[in-house]
Amino acid sequence: MTRPEVGKLGLRRPVPDSAWERYSARPVRSLDELQMVAAIRAAVFMSEQACPYEEEYDGNDLCSTHFLLFDGAEPVGTLRVRWFADFAKLERIALLPRERGRMGLRVLLAEMFELVARKGYRRMLGQIQARLWPVWSRTFNCRLLPGRAPFWFSDYEYREIEIFVPEHPAALPMEADPYMIIRPEGAWDTPGVLDASAQRAPGQDEAA
C-alpha cells in the first residue's frame, strides 16, 4: 500500500514502519463504514464522555469526509473533515481506549493530511478540548489561534487551533483529468468504475 509521503509531513513525529504494517486508514466510502464511524463515536463520546446523542450527531455527518483507522481488519478509530472556502476543519477524532498512546493515531492523521493536501488546502481549523492542547501541540504542526478566547460546549472547555497542512506537489486543480475528478475520494490515481464505463461511449466500438 502506498504511504502518504506528503501527509506524514504534517506530523511532529515520524510514523515507525511497524505502525504502517499493523494499521491502515482510509476515507469512508460505504454505509457500512459509516456505521463503524457511528459505533466508535458512540463508545467514546456518548459512553465515556456522556455526550448527548443530539449533540454528538449534530447534523454535519452527511456533509463531511470521514476516515476510519483499522488495526488489521478491526475498526478502532475515526475522524471527520468538513470543507470551507480556504480551510478545512478537523473534527471528531476518536480512538477506542486500547488504541490510545499507540501509533495508530499517527497513521490516521497522516492519511487525512494526505487527502486534505491533495485537495490543495494549506491550513485546517481545530476546536480542541483545552486540557488536550499539550497533546495536540506535540502531535501535528499547529498553534493556538491568537486573540481567540476559550469557549464551551457539551460540558467541556475548548480552544481553537490553526493546523498547518503540507503543500502537495500534485494538488488537484479544476483542470485535472476529468476521470480523476470523478474517482472515489482519495483514490484519484487509480482508475475507477466510471473510467471503465467510458468504453460504452458512442463510437468506441468503431474506434477499436
Side-chain angles (χ1 to χ4, degrees):
M1 180 178 293
T2 303
R3 295 182 183 178
E5 298 300 332
V6 174
K8 292 189 297 184
L9 301 177
L11 302 175
R12 295 292 300 271
R13 291 175 287 185
V15 183
D17 287 340
S18 58
W20 297 114
E21 294 165 3
R22 175 172 179 173
Y23 295 100
S24 63
R26 62 174 184 263
V28 166
R29 298 194 184 107
S30 70
L31 290 176
D32 182 54
E33 291 180 342
L34 194 58
Q35 288 180 316
M36 297 177 191
V37 168
I40 294 169
R41 282 172 39 190
V44 173
F45 295 122
M46 294 178 62
S47 179
E48 292 185 45
Q49 299 184 15
C51 182
Y53 179 91
E54 64 273 12
E55 295 179 12
E56 176 53 35
Y57 303 102
D58 58 353
N60 283 318
D61 284 316
L62 296 184
C63 58
S64 302
T65 298
H66 300 265
F67 279 78
L68 277 169
L69 171 68
F70 293 88
D71 182 356
E74 184 73 14
V76 295
T78 185
L79 61 78
R80 81 180 185 193
V81 179
R82 289 197 291 136
W83 309 99
F84 296 85
D86 67 344
F87 69 96
K89 186 169 185 291
L90 175 59
E91 301 177 324
R92 298 300 198 274
I93 301 173
L95 296 171
L96 295 181
R98 67 178 183 271
E99 293 300 324
R100 294 166 200 167
R102 296 181 178 177
M103 295 295 105
L105 176 62
R106 297 189 201 178
V107 172
L108 177 63
L109 291 170
E111 293 288 2
M112 178 275 298
F113 278 128
E114 185 79 16
L115 185 142
V116 173
R118 191 74 190 275
K119 287 188 169 219
Y121 288 86
R122 297 301 312 280
R123 62 179 184 160
M124 303 184 76
L125 172 67
Q127 295 176 337
I128 62 168
Q129 290 184 16
R131 64 188 178 89
L132 297 178
W133 163 244
V135 175
W136 294 123
S137 65
R138 296 192 301 267
T139 302
F140 40 58
N141 299 311
C142 62
R143 65 169 183 166
L144 289 169
L145 275 180
R148 303 286 281 184
F151 64 105
W152 290 76
F153 67 86
S154 296
D155 306 312
Y156 286 88
E157 181 186 19
Y158 283 80
R159 297 296 304 270
E160 292 174 290
I161 60 173
E162 181 180 15
I163 304 165
F164 303 106
V165 179
E167 183 175 6
H168 203 296
L172 292 166
M174 189 169 67
E175 298 79 15
D177 184 297
Y179 290 107
M180 293 183 69
I181 297 298
I182 60 177
R183 289 169 187 163
E185 191 83 342
W188 296 293
D189 299 316
T190 303
V193 63
L194 296 179
D195 293 71
S197 75
Q199 300 303 314
R200 302 197 304 268
Q204 287 298 312
D205 291 340
E206 291 85 348

